[in-house]
Amino acid sequence: MPDPSQHFTGNLNAVRYREDILLPHVVPFLQAHPDMTLQHDNATSHTAHSVCDFLHDRNLFNVKETPQTAMEEEVGAFTKLIEAMGFTGPLKYNKWKIKIAALRMYTCCVERINYDEFFEKCSLPDTLNSWFLVAQLHVWICLVRIRQEGREGKYMCRYIVHSMWEDVEQRSKIMGIDAIHRKESMRAMTETFYAAIFGYDEGILSDDGVLAAALWRNMFNRQCEDPRQLELMVEYVRKQMQFIDALDGEDLLLTGEVNWRPLLEDNAQSILKVPTPTYNDAGL
């Protein structure tokens, strides 16, 4: 009798869980056995919003969760009421710590990226708008990851975006852009940002062609004529998403620390290998 188990190498993020496990294996089985219940271990990749939506769309959202996670996600009537009024209810971590972590995470999107390299390799002009297009891509990657951390993650996302707009406005003032043009520029950037978020979300959940189209529209502003540049950016986004998805959610919420993979590297697949601990002769 053949072995029914499935084996995968590397990190299992939400996209791989949906595309490589749920779609080809789990969904057909549940459709053939409607009396069965899917039970997962509440890993981040299993409880991501994209996975939940995927199961909802197929009327298969009868996932059994462990009591611990159910208790952590339970929200009282008072919290629901004040959040319906636009306020944030009690969170698992201190709100000020999350705000500081959000600012630090945004700072990682700005100070730990070699923007000159992106301008050169992607043939982008050295302008504020080009800087913003590269920055918003990295902000989006952070938002995708941190949204998976429940209510605390959503709260942190709000302040990551808030930090970004404050920074953009401050840079505009330093560049000497007058108030009228600054207001028009901010409005255009806001529209660009939310259009890019929608396109990138669709692209990361689809194949490389859809992601490449989203990058062509948003980052390259429909002006990329070299397919190698699109290929480079698709690979870059995929490896960054896999890398950040493997980071511990609690550490991200409390520290906001993100280190980025370089734009160019010899073996991008090496990030999928989980580092093996090194022990001495005493086993320590």
Side-chain angles (χ1 to χ4, degrees), residues 208-223:
D208 287 350
V210 178
L211 179 57
L215 289 164
W216 177 76
R217 290 193 308 271
N218 297 288
M219 181 172 169
F220 291 93
N221 201 21
R222 303 175 184 267
Q223 295 180 2

Side-chain angles (χ1 to χ4, degrees), residues 230-253:
L230 280 173
E231 182 181 7
L232 173 65
M233 288 308 304
V234 167
E235 178 184 323
Y236 179 79
V237 170
R238 294 289 187 194
K239 71 181 181 182
Q240 294 293 9
M241 292 298 295
Q242 292 175 350
F243 179 70
I244 197 172
D245 193 67
L247 300 180
D248 182 76
E250 184 176 6
D251 288 344
L252 290 174
L253 287 172

